[in-house]
Amino acid sequence: MRFYVNVDHVATVRQARRTDEPAPVRAAVLVELGGADGITVHLREDRRHIQDRDVRLLMETVRTGVNLELATAADVLALACELRPMQATLVPERREEVTTEGGLNLGSPESRRRIGGALAQLAAAGIRTSLFIDPDAEALAVARELAADAVELHTGEYANTRGARRAAELERLRAAACRGRELGLAVHAGHGLTYENVIPVAAIPEVEELNIGHSIISRAIFVGIEQAVREMAELIRRARQPFGPGAEAAGLAHH
Ligand code: PXP
């Protein structure tokens, strides 16, 4: 299991004053010291938080790897192909959204053509590719057809619900993770994951990468980034233990 930390919110605080602090690149160093396996940033078309310079600095500084989230905007794609991060995750973007609201729309031929083109461009640059999708069989099939290396399953619905609905959403994630592996796709997961809800998702055996931002940066305000990352890394590690809390959450403890 790889654990990547999204540091966009550090840039959000900086952009609130259009100044030079806090710097995502400094946060990235501490995230790595805290035990994360990589740094995730979303270079939005509207440059709301992360800027081009941040991505360049991260590429020069990060010792683990950079997972660049991006939409299919031509200038962002060109920058990705120039900088060649370890991984690029294609995500949907709408200007008015507060955060990424759903998986990619792969339903229309137009969007499949656009996303397929972006994937081909990234792959030609030697970049591992991932598609952020809802945990649905149809979306997985399209991801396979478009030759993505990986999918990131959107965990937002799971995170935003409670009780029986949450259990059903977890089941949906598990089924999608299995189907993804059957199709030969690497399976990642993320969005809305917190210290309270991460364990059942981290315990899904087919999930090999988690991307987590908001919850960690929120805790970092109180305990510091390194400590916040360490605590999340420990929860994820425990979730993967055969008889740990993850096994229980996954309903495997009595087998
Ligand atoms: N994965 C993707 C594709 C995202 O767009 C985001 C948010 O930028 C995350 C994961 C992290 O979500 P959160 O900040 O809710 O942990």
Side-chain angles (χ1 to χ4, degrees):
M1 170 68 90
R2 298 183 302 275
F3 161 43
Y4 289 10
V5 176
N6 181 314
V7 296
D8 290 352
H9 279 6
V10 176
T12 299
V13 175
R14 178 190 62 196
Q15 295 309 108
R17 287 291 177 91
R18 302 265 188 282
T19 176
D20 59 358
E21 64 176 8
V25 68
R26 290 187 174 212
V29 173
L30 296 171
V31 164
E32 289 185 319
L33 286 173
D37 302 303
I39 307 296
T40 296
V41 285
H42 183 176
L43 184 63
R44 291 183 61 99
E45 194 181 354
D46 61 13
R47 306 299 199 273
R48 177 190 295 181
H49 38 55
I50 294 290
Q51 308 294 307
D52 298 30
R53 178 172 175 271
D54 295 320
V55 185
R56 288 185 188 280
L57 287 177
L58 287 166
M59 286 299 299
E60 286 177 16
T61 315
V62 166
R63 302 186 64 102
T64 49
V66 172
N67 171 34
L68 180 64
E69 295 178 0
L70 73 166
T72 53
D75 62 328
V76 184
L77 268 171
L79 189 73
C81 291
E82 179 202 329
L83 298 180
R84 301 177 57 206
M86 184 184 61
Q87 179 168 286
T89 303
L90 287 172
V91 302
E93 265 180 35
R94 288 196 305 118
R95 271 176 196 274
E96 64 277 20
E97 70 193 356
V98 176
T99 180
T100 317
E101 283 169 355
L104 287 163
N105 168 12
L106 299 169
S108 73
E110 201 305 290
S111 66
R112 284 201 293 270
R113 193 193 48 73
R114 193 168 35 81
I115 290 161
L119 281 174
Q121 213 178 316
L122 292 163
I127 304 167
R128 183 174 194 265
T129 58
S130 178
L131 292 183
F132 187 49
I133 61 168
D134 291 321
D136 295 329
E138 307 85 74
L140 285 160
V142 177
R144 175 79 194 87
E145 201 181 295
L146 297 179
D149 296 309
V151 287
E152 180 174 337
L153 302 178
H154 193 312
T155 50
E157 288 295 322
Y158 159 80
N160 291 335
T161 51
R162 296 284 174 275
R165 285 262 344 256
R166 175 174 281 189
E169 288 297 334
L170 182 60
E171 215 34 68
R172 202 173 146 214
L173 286 167
R174 283 197 192 116
C178 279
R179 185 72 195 125
R181 286 305 303 145
E182 279 168 13
L183 291 170
L185 294 159
V187 178
H188 310 162
H191 211 283
L193 295 177
T194 68
Y195 296 84
E196 287 72 38
N197 69 23
V198 72
I199 283 180
V201 176
I204 299 173
E206 292 82 8
V207 173
E208 64 178 65
E209 179 186 307
L210 292 178
N211 280 289
I212 310 179
H214 181 85
S215 187
I216 292 172
I217 304 302
S218 302
R219 182 169 301 219
I221 291 173
F222 303 110
V223 305
I225 293 190
E226 207 181 320
Q227 172 71 12
V229 171
R230 227 176 264 297
E231 289 175 25
M232 185 62 87
E234 175 60 15
L235 284 177
I236 294 168
R237 191 189 64 74
R238 280 175 40 208
R240 295 297 256 217
Q241 286 175 351
F243 298 103
E248 202 171 319
L252 301 172
H254 306 299
H255 291 235

